[in-house]
């Protein structure tokens, strides 16, 4: 057992933090949110220079090979920095999907473009069904290539992606296909998410070349692994936000004077913050557990830990977010302080990659199957 | 003991229901349903006018000032029916806040000048109490009013002013005696928003709405005749006003409406191939909050009953505020859960989507304003439990 991080891992975290604190201020971020594109190419280039876009690419593929733990630390820092660029969508989830499925020159080309920041890819996976349920999108042989049909919802960062990695049923199995976002037969309905990011609902009816499929084996296991690692990284992102919102709340109550005293001196509020602190620590423990499970080969244990983490972190996100706004009083309701932006990112966390209830249902199933 | 409404009361409720069904304009109702606030000022004024023309402009006023003279039970039923039919709210600032103060403490000239224009919706009022440094600790407020001949000269800054961008008038607490104890040096002033030296600056809320403002006063000259009651006695009037603000504070009408909406949403949403409402866990959550609301409804009626005997609501009104706001916030959380990932979408279409998410964020205010829920708990501890 070892809960410490290597010097290298810590240096990585420090360098991201320094970069975000100096360059990614709330004002800078507000400008990005207000723009048409909803992201900043120059920020993206700087993330590439810091090596962040190659972080979760294996060394054998020319990446940094930081693995789940390095990705966790980076995600935590990125969450705390409220970054809206597609780090999680492209450099974690899509990168993992490509890493586990693509072969040969396809692998080289895709990973090379993702690592350098030349291209952004996002996984188009969610459908209007349940998070774990079978998919309705399909791909069928058509001439030399494929015909892909279906609808995907809540595809984060699709509007700025070059490639959509689309999961679809192929016969009895599942395949993932690389689709140009601008291809004929791809229709995006773009929208803003509650935390200021961009996403889209996408309809596909598109003809694809034979070599657009990632690998040729059934992709189910690879997808599950990428999704689990993605959820673990998303938990780490939320953990970073939780740390920031708690620190901001404690500081605010130290500074805010009412009735001749700092409100942080009031025991009624101290107890509330003590509870927030405990929730954040429980969220941290579960994030570590999920990350650690991503290092193991047991796929079922990994899924169980990841689902458990999504529930505990999701519940902390709800409670701590609400309490932080409350303890800021009217200031918590404005867009001026970091608290409201953290609050919204925590709300979005609850809703992304399977809502709290979905993951709780998975865990409930475990309890019931053990009892039987 | 009999917890049923009387035949008269039920007939009254049916009358209100029928009136609102026929007189609430469809375009206003649709906007209220969608949570579309783009025409809020216009919608509120139009609805006030319709009610006024029917003699129902002020459910809570005595008949001598043009009110309905209804008792609290009828006011309660009226409120519930209006919400159920998706009528817009009637803004409290004129009707429920400044008017009772003017009726009780204002001069005859003030009554004649201001009350009719509140009743028919001509004047829009806003509340100028809070300041950046004075929220929960309102008595520490710093905005000054100095006497200069037959005027007060007002300087300072108010914060968190709701919908003041549409307002014709603002009622303000101002400091008129800096030497006295905080509560003793405060006066209650009525200020025309068009007076030179007033600047209204929007504060953007977390849901992107422009609902509150900062208001700056820079040598604003206010005629002495706009002082309510006596100089330096404003704190008494403010406390009186707070009592009135709490009538219907439980917000039963709003919670009932949103609970019904939640059930509709859970009936449409599908989880594991079946309606979410069939999911026993989600249905249990709805049942839980419905029971909390039921308990609060009866508690509210008990307070109304007691009030009919003792006039002003006592400290138990704090309980109605706390529970009412917590329940409405809980219902809005469940609406988000019913939407699931679709709640991520903030500016898109789809009937309940933007409304539910925006509302969830916006309703965080309920436990902050009107005396925060922490302050209300202090009141229960001190005034009710005598701790
Ligand atoms: C959307 C919105 C609309 C509003 N509209 C108006 C308006 O129209 N007119 C107007 O005058 N005001 C308005 N307000 C202001 C509102 O009344 C204040 O926000 C409220 O009184 C709280 O004050 P504050 O924001 O300064 O928070 P603070 O008083 O600084 O409180 C911060 C936190 O500390 C807690 N706290 C403070 N003191 C104590 C204590 N003694 N014990 C325990 N906990 C304590 C509070 O409950 C809160 O959680 C509005 C506010 C909002 C958010």
């Amino acid at each position: 057992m070892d809960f410490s991080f290597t010097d290298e891992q810590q240096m990585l975290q420090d360098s991201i933090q320094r970069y975000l604190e100096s360059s990614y201020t709330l004002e800078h971020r507000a400008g990005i949110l207000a723009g048409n594109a909803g992201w900043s190419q120059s920020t993206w280039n700087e993330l590439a220079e810091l090596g962040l876009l190659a972080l979760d690419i294996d060394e054998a593929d020319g990446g940094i090979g930081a693995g789940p733990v390095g990705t966790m630390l980076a995600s935590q820092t990125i969450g705390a920095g409220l970054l809206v660029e597609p780090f999680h969508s492209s450099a974690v989830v899509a990168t993992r999907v490509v890493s586990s499925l693509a072969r040969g020159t396809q692998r080289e080309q895709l990973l090379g473009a993702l690592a350098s920041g030349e291209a952004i890819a996002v996984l188009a996976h969610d459908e209007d069904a349940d998070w774990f349920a079978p998919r309705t999108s399909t791909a069928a042989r058509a001439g030399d290539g494929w015909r892909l049909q279906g609808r995907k919802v809540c595809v984060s960062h699709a509007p700025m992606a070059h490639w959509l990695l689309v999961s679809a049923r192929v016969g009895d199995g599942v395949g993932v296909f690389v689709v140009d976002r601008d291809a004929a037969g791809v229709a995006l309905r773009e929208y803003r998410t509650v935390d200021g990011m961009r996403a889209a609902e996408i309809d596909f009816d598109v003809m694809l070349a034979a070599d657009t499929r990632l690998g040729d084996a059934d992709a189910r296991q690879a997808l599950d692994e990428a999704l689990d690692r993605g959820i673990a990284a998303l938990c780490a992102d939320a953990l970073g936000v939780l740390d920031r919102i708690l620190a901001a709340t404690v500081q605010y109550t130290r500074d805010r004077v009412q009735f001749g005293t700092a409100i942080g001196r009031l025991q009624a509020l101290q107890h509330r913050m003590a509870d927030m602190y405990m929730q954040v620590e429980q969220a941290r423990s579960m994030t570590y557990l999920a990350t650690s499970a991503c290092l193991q080969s047991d796929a079922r244990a990994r899924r169980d830990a990841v689902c458990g983490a999504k529930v505990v972190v999701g519940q902390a996100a709800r409670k701590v977010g609400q309490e932080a706004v409350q303890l800021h009083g009217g200031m918590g309701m404005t867009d001026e302080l970091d608290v409201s932006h953290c609050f919204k990112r925590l709300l979005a966390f609850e809703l992304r990659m399977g809502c709290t209830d979905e993951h709780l249902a998975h865990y409930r199933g475990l309890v019931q199957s053990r009892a039987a | 003991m009999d917890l049923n409404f009387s035949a008269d009361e039920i007939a009254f409720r049916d009358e209100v229901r029928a009136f609102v069904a026929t007189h609430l304009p469809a375009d206003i109702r649709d906007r209220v349903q969608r949570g579309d606030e783009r025409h809020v000022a216009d919608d509120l004024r139009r609805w006030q006018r319709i009610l006024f023309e029917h003699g129902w402009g002020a459910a809570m006023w005595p008949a001598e000032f043009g009110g309905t003279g209804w008792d609290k039970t009828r006011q309660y039923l009226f409120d519930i029916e209006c919400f159920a039919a998706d009528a817009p709210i009637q803004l409290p600032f004129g009707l429920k806040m400044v008017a009772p103060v003017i009726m009780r403490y204002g001069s005859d000239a003030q009554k004649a000048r201001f009350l009719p224009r509140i009743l028919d919706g001509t004047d829009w009022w806003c509340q100028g109490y809070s300041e950046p440094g004075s929220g929960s600790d309102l008595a520490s407020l710093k905005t000054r009013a100095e006497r200069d001949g037959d005027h007060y000269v007002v300087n300072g800054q108010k914060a968190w002013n709701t919908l003041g961008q549409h307002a014709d008038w603002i009622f303000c607490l101002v400091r008129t005696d800096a030497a006295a104890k905080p509560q003793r040096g405060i006066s209650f002033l009525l200020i025309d928003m068009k007076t030179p030296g007033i600047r209204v600056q929007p504060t953007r809320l977390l849901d992107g709405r422009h609902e509150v403002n900062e208001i700056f006063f820079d040598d604003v000259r206010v005629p002495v005749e706009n002082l309510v009651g006596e100089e330096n006695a404003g704190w008494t009037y403010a406390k009186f006003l707070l009592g009135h603000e709490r009538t219907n504070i439980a917000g039963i009408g709003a919670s009932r409406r949103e609970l019904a909406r939640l059930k509709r949403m859970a009936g449409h949403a599908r989880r594991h191939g079946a309606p979410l409402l069939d999911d026993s866990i989600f249905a249990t959550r709805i049942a839980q909050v419905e029971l909390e609301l039921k308990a609060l409804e009866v508690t509210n009626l008990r307070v109304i009953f007691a009030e009919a005997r003792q006039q002003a609501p006592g400290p138990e009104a704090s309980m109605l505020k706390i529970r009412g706001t917590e329940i409405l916030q809980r219902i809005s959380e469940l609406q988000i859960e019913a939407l699931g990932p679709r709640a991520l979408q903030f500016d898109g279409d789809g009937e309940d989507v933007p409304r539910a998410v925006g509302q969830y964020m916006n309703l965080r205010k309920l436990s902050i304003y009107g005396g925060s829920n922490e302050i209300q708990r202090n009141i229960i501890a001190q005034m009710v439990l005598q701790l």
Side-chain angles (χ1 to χ4, degrees):
Chain A
M1 188 178 56
D2 181 3
F3 282 103
S4 67
F5 303 111
T6 64
D7 288 348
E8 211 178 336
Q9 287 167 337
Q10 236 135 31
M11 272 159 52
L12 166 79
Q13 200 172 23
D14 291 346
S15 68
I16 307 171
Q17 190 173 348
R18 269 198 308 277
Y19 163 68
L20 290 174
E21 278 174 6
S22 63
S23 308
Y24 209 77
T25 59
L26 271 190
E27 300 76 65
H28 180 71
R29 180 179 180 271
I32 297 172
L33 257 57
N36 276 336
W39 72 299
S40 153
Q41 176 75 56
S42 64
T43 299
W44 194 245
N45 296 342
E46 283 156 3
L47 296 183
E49 273 167 37
L50 282 168
L52 282 183
L53 307 185
L55 195 68
D56 212 6
I57 296 176
D58 301 337
E59 280 174 296
D61 292 312
I64 292 176
V69 176
T71 303
M72 174 185 84
L73 294 173
S75 299
Q76 212 179 323
T77 317
I78 277 169
L82 297 171
L83 190 92
V84 295
E85 279 68 21
F87 171 78
H88 181 265
S89 303
S90 186
V92 179
V93 178
T95 295
R96 286 322 305 167
V97 171
V98 173
S99 294
S100 38
L101 286 172
R103 300 282 168 263
T105 52
Q106 184 189 43
R107 180 184 188 89
E108 260 171 51
Q109 282 172 359
L110 293 176
L111 290 179
L114 291 176
S116 68
E118 263 167 68
I120 290 170
V122 300
L123 176 67
H125 180 67
D126 284 14
E127 296 178 2
D128 235 348
D130 308 323
W131 172 251
F132 296 109
R135 309 280 132 189
T136 55
S137 300
T138 56
R141 282 275 175 204
D144 288 344
W146 299 93
R147 179 172 184 187
L148 175 75
Q149 288 172 294
R151 162 178 295 186
K152 299 290 185 178
V153 300
C154 299
V155 186
S156 292
H157 295 113
M160 62 209 67
H162 304 88
W163 297 314
L164 308 169
L165 310 182
V166 187
S167 62
R169 289 211 334 259
V170 183
D172 291 339
V174 170
V176 177
F177 296 83
V178 184
V179 180
D180 281 346
R181 189 207 48 195
D182 295 329
V186 177
L188 273 72
R189 264 183 310 286
E190 302 184 5
Y191 57 86
R192 280 170 209 257
T193 59
V194 65
D195 56 346
M197 297 191 195
R198 306 298 161 100
E201 183 174 296
I202 312 176
D203 281 314
F204 297 93
D205 186 355
V206 54
M207 304 302 293
L208 300 172
D211 62 1
T212 52
R213 182 170 181 184
L214 291 180
D216 46 19
D218 183 11
R220 243 175 306 197
Q221 283 182 10
L223 258 179
D224 275 347
E225 191 191 349
L227 289 171
D228 287 348
R229 286 177 71 158
I231 294 173
L234 199 63
C235 287
D237 184 291
L239 179 61
V241 187
L242 285 166
D243 280 331
R244 178 167 177 176
I245 204 172
L246 174 60
T249 305
V250 170
Q251 189 58 47
Y252 188 79
T253 63
R254 279 203 182 106
D255 297 340
R256 174 70 172 168
V257 173
Q258 290 287 276
F259 304 103
T261 178
I263 57 173
R265 303 291 310 163
L266 300 168
Q267 231 166 35
L269 302 193
Q270 289 177 347
H271 287 188
R272 303 268 287 272
M273 288 183 277
D275 284 339
M276 291 164 74
Y277 163 79
M278 289 189 280
Q279 292 215 296
V280 175
E281 289 311 312
Q282 301 305 87
R284 190 181 325 279
S285 298
M286 289 305 279
T287 303
Y288 288 176
L289 181 72
T291 304
S292 156
C294 289
L295 291 162
Q296 316 295 320
S297 55
D298 182 344
R300 281 179 59 183
R302 188 190 67 221
R303 170 71 33 109
D304 298 347
V306 158
C307 288
K310 187 76 170 58
V311 173
V312 174
V313 181
Q315 289 171 346
R318 167 89 56 95
K319 191 75 189 148
V320 173
Q322 291 180 348
E323 290 285 82
V325 168
Q326 180 68 24
L327 297 188
H328 275 78
M331 283 310 293
M333 289 294 298
T334 72
D335 236 4
E336 286 163 30
L337 301 184
D338 45 0
V339 60
S340 70
H341 301 284
C342 292
F343 173 83
K344 287 185 264 190
R345 193 168 178 117
L346 290 171
L347 171 60
F349 168 79
E350 288 188 57
L351 304 167
R352 285 208 168 94
M353 299 193 88
C355 297
T356 305
D357 270 2
E358 292 267 359
H359 290 279
L360 190 56
H362 172 87
Y363 223 80
R364 190 164 62 236
L366 280 179
V367 171
Q368 290 167 331
S369 69
R370 276 186 209 132
Chain B
M1 192 173 79
D2 177 6
L3 266 62
N4 295 303
F5 292 117
S6 69
D8 271 3
E9 286 162 348
I10 288 174
F12 168 81
R13 184 197 64 194
D14 292 344
E15 184 193 346
V16 174
R17 190 174 294 179
F19 175 80
V20 180
T22 46
H23 288 82
L24 174 63
D27 62 322
I28 297 183
R29 186 197 58 216
D30 291 348
R31 278 193 289 276
V32 171
Q33 268 171 8
R34 286 199 309 271
D36 176 349
E37 306 235 312
R38 275 170 299 177
H39 306 286
V40 66
D42 223 36
D43 290 351
L44 265 53
R45 282 185 204 265
R46 265 169 72 201
W47 180 232
Q48 180 62 28
R49 187 83 207 168
I50 292 167
L51 290 173
F52 165 73
E53 277 163 8
H54 192 67
W56 288 356
M60 65 301 290
W61 289 12
E64 58 168 311
F65 296 111
T68 58
W70 290 335
D71 61 18
K72 298 279 182 206
T73 310
R74 281 177 165 71
Q75 293 176 34
Y76 172 80
L77 292 170
F78 178 74
D79 202 53
I80 286 182
E81 289 305 320
C82 287
F83 268 106
D86 284 317
I89 55 156
Q90 287 174 277
L91 273 193
F93 307 111
L95 284 166
K96 291 195 197 177
M97 294 185 179
V98 77
V101 172
I102 292 175
M103 287 175 200
R104 175 78 185 268
Y105 300 103
S107 64
D108 287 341
Q110 286 169 341
K111 288 176 198 166
R113 179 175 177 198
F114 294 114
L115 296 179
R117 295 168 64 90
I118 293 174
L119 189 62
D120 68 10
T122 309
D123 284 345
W124 181 303
W125 282 81
C126 66
Q127 180 187 26
Y129 273 26
S130 309
E131 299 181 3
S134 307
S136 299
D137 181 14
L138 188 57
S140 67
L141 62 91
K142 294 200 174 61
T143 298
R144 307 186 309 280
E146 279 151 2
R147 187 74 184 258
D148 176 23
D150 51 6
H151 282 80
Y152 286 104
V153 181
V154 180
N155 280 288
Q157 179 188 355
K158 293 290 174 185
W160 314 117
N161 167 276
T162 297
L163 296 176
Q165 69 268 36
H166 306 298
D168 305 294
W169 286 83
I170 181 170
F171 58 94
C172 280
L173 292 181
V174 292
R175 188 158 300 288
T176 35
D177 183 352
K181 280 194 174 166
Q183 284 87 343
R184 297 266 171 77
I186 292 172
S187 298
F188 196 106
L189 269 191
L190 311 177
I191 305 179
D192 185 338
M193 288 293 282
K194 287 184 290 293
T195 319
I198 296 183
R199 187 161 58 87
V200 180
Q201 184 179 306
T203 303
R204 240 168 91 97
L205 293 189
L206 78 176
D207 58 357
R209 270 189 226 177
H210 173 194
E211 186 179 291
V212 301
N213 306 280
E214 285 184 287
I215 303 191
F216 298 89
F217 297 86
D218 188 9
D219 284 334
V220 175
R221 295 184 70 80
V222 181
V224 171
E225 69 207 41
N226 289 4
L227 174 76
V228 175
E230 288 170 30
E231 196 176 272
N232 295 330
W235 192 249
T236 311
Y237 315 148
K239 278 197 299 193
F240 170 83
L241 181 157
L242 282 178
H244 275 265
E245 194 185 352
R246 284 177 204 164
T247 311
N248 275 339
I249 193 95
I252 303 289
S255 283
R256 275 199 183 181
R257 176 175 81 191
E258 294 308 315
L259 181 63
R261 189 188 301 274
L262 168 63
K263 288 180 182 169
R264 281 200 304 277
M265 289 166 73
H268 291 147
R270 300 189 80 76
R271 193 113 352 133
H272 306 296
L276 182 57
L277 206 50
D278 292 352
D279 179 278
S280 67
I281 292 171
F282 200 77
T284 304
R285 287 190 198 144
I286 299 181
Q288 179 71 46
V289 75
E290 184 162 337
L291 277 175
E292 289 175 29
L293 180 55
K294 186 102 256 151
L296 186 66
E297 282 180 39
V298 179
T299 308
N300 197 6
L301 292 173
R302 284 171 52 211
V303 172
I304 287 174
F305 181 80
E307 237 185 289
R309 271 125 234 267
Q310 298 153 10
Q311 299 297 322
E316 58 276 17
S318 292
M319 169 168 56
L320 301 181
K321 198 271 175 171
I322 295 172
R323 289 272 59 215
T325 55
E326 286 176 350
I327 287 169
L328 189 49
Q329 287 176 334
R330 178 68 186 141
I331 293 170
S332 96
E333 273 181 44
L334 290 174
Q335 289 186 354
I336 298 279
E337 289 174 21
L339 284 174
R342 295 205 306 135
L344 268 174
Q345 183 170 343
F346 191 44
D347 68 350
D349 39 21
E351 188 159 298
D352 285 317
V353 176
R355 181 181 194 282
V357 188
Q359 177 162 275
Y360 169 72
M361 295 193 275
N362 191 268
L363 292 188
R364 302 314 309 164
K365 72 186 176 191
L366 297 178
S367 46
I368 295 171
Y369 70 12
S372 76
N373 286 12
E374 287 76 25
I375 295 298
Q376 305 294 343
R377 283 187 166 83
N378 289 346
I379 292 173
I380 292 179
Q382 287 156 20
M383 313 279 285
V384 183
L385 305 177
Q386 304 274 314
L387 287 165

